[in-house]
Amino acid sequence: MRKFLKKISHPFLKFGLNFYYSKPRNFTYNNIKIKVHSDVFPPKLTFSTKILLDFIQELELENKTFLELGCGSGIISLLATKKGAKATASDINQTALDYLVTNAEKNHLKVEAVYSDLFQNIENHSFDYIIINPPYYPKAAKSIKEQAWFCGENFEYFEKLFHQLPSYLSSETNCFMILSQDCESEKIKAIAIKNAMAFELVLEEKKLVETNYIFKIVVW
Ligand SMILES: C[S@@+](CC[C@H](N)C(=O)[O-])C[C@H]1O[C@@H](n2cnc3c(N)ncnc32)[C@H](O)[C@@H]1O
């Protein structure tokens, strides 16, 4: 965490990030072209979204039900739709959802965009796939933009997530979560274990200086 805060408080990086965030930016994957609002998690500047996109690109998704919990730009849900899935994309960031609706229309893809605090407004309990790229730095978010990064001082996001998740998991569900070496994964896993879930490593990928891990979350 200290390393991350040091990274983003460096004057040059801070200036660069503020400049980058000053207007909506374009992002493209597999011919899906989207605009990302400056208040939304930037898929271009981070590794996690791209690693998930490459992972999902390889999945057989024809006619599968797919939930991206905390969708940000929604590029992952758009890719899932393009691969034949029935995708639902949820977030607490209304700007992200508004942009996703426009981006979906422009790409002639259909995604159900749902405003939801975690699973609060998610009615379907039997998705074939659930994909989560969570906020994981232990700090209280001061804005909607910061909610993409910070999970609360005491990991409140994960406490709530792992409390709700079991009723959405069956032996048929493929629930994948990406975490980085930068986060306190042992603490996050402990919260899952407390709620009778376990993490199985399915992919480890190093990009530049950061290693990311995709875990399958399973019920004991
Ligand atoms: C790290 S970003 C990932 C965005 C996107 N899935 C991706 O991979 O590019 C985390 C996302 O979760 C959303 N989020 C944070 N807390 C949430 C909550 N309680 N309920 C729903 N979404 C939440 C944030 O607004 C943000 O869009």
Side-chain angles (χ1 to χ4, degrees):
M1 175 61 184
R2 244 172 304 157
K3 246 187 351 193
F4 170 74
L5 288 177
K6 218 168 157 186
K7 265 193 240 166
I8 59 168
S9 59
H10 188 282
F12 287 131
L13 192 54
K14 219 171 162 185
F15 174 79
L17 276 177
N18 283 341
F19 174 74
Y20 186 88
Y21 276 130
S22 63
K23 58 178 184 180
R25 294 287 174 177
N26 296 324
F27 181 72
T28 303
Y29 187 87
N30 192 5
N31 249 349
I32 306 170
K33 297 184 174 70
I34 61 166
K35 260 202 189 324
V36 185
H37 188 275
S38 47
D39 282 351
V40 176
F41 186 74
K44 204 172 197 162
L45 289 187
T46 52
F47 297 124
S48 55
T49 313
K50 279 174 257 162
I51 292 171
L52 277 173
L53 285 166
D54 292 344
F55 178 72
I56 283 153
Q57 178 68 35
E58 300 304 316
L59 300 177
E60 177 49 66
L61 292 180
E62 193 66 42
N63 292 325
K64 301 291 184 194
T65 48
F66 183 101
L67 171 66
E68 185 185 9
L69 193 80
C71 63
S73 69
I75 184 70
I76 288 169
S77 301
L78 292 169
L79 176 65
T81 303
K82 192 168 179 179
K83 289 180 59 62
K86 240 182 102 201
T88 302
S90 67
D91 210 290
I92 37 162
N93 183 337
Q94 188 58 52
T95 307
L97 296 171
D98 293 344
Y99 265 60
L100 171 57
V101 169
T102 307
N103 285 323
E105 278 167 14
K106 287 198 171 146
N107 285 279
H108 310 290
L109 294 169
K110 217 173 136 204
V111 169
E112 191 189 0
V114 181
Y115 180 90
S116 181
D117 180 355
L118 292 172
F119 286 100
Q120 194 172 35
N121 301 327
I122 308 294
E123 282 166 13
N124 179 5
H125 277 246
S126 59
F127 288 97
D128 296 310
Y129 286 88
I130 300 176
I131 306 295
I132 311 172
N133 181 3
Y136 47 62
Y137 293 110
K139 196 180 160 196
K142 293 204 190 82
S143 64
I144 199 71
K145 185 167 160 177
E146 284 192 1
Q147 274 182 305
W149 303 91
F150 300 139
C151 62
E153 276 170 16
N154 298 303
F155 296 82
E156 288 86 345
Y157 169 95
F158 290 100
E159 293 283 358
K160 206 164 150 186
L161 171 71
F162 291 129
H163 180 69
Q164 296 177 358
L165 191 55
S167 77
Y168 291 81
L169 294 186
S170 73
S171 54
E172 309 295 303
T173 320
N174 294 289
C175 178
F176 295 112
M177 175 182 281
I178 190 162
L179 292 175
S180 145
Q181 66 175 69
D182 248 5
C183 76
E184 293 181 44
S185 54
E186 290 314 313
K187 171 87 190 170
I188 294 166
K189 282 180 198 169
I191 302 171
I193 289 168
K194 196 170 75 182
N195 288 280
M197 278 164 288
F199 282 31
E200 291 173 0
L201 183 64
V202 293
L203 185 125
E204 178 174 342
E205 188 158 334
K206 185 168 184 180
K207 284 210 193 277
L208 297 176
V209 290
E210 189 186 327
T211 303
N212 278 267
Y213 307 90
I214 296 181
F215 296 100
K216 182 169 181 182
I217 302 176
V218 293
V219 183
W220 283 354

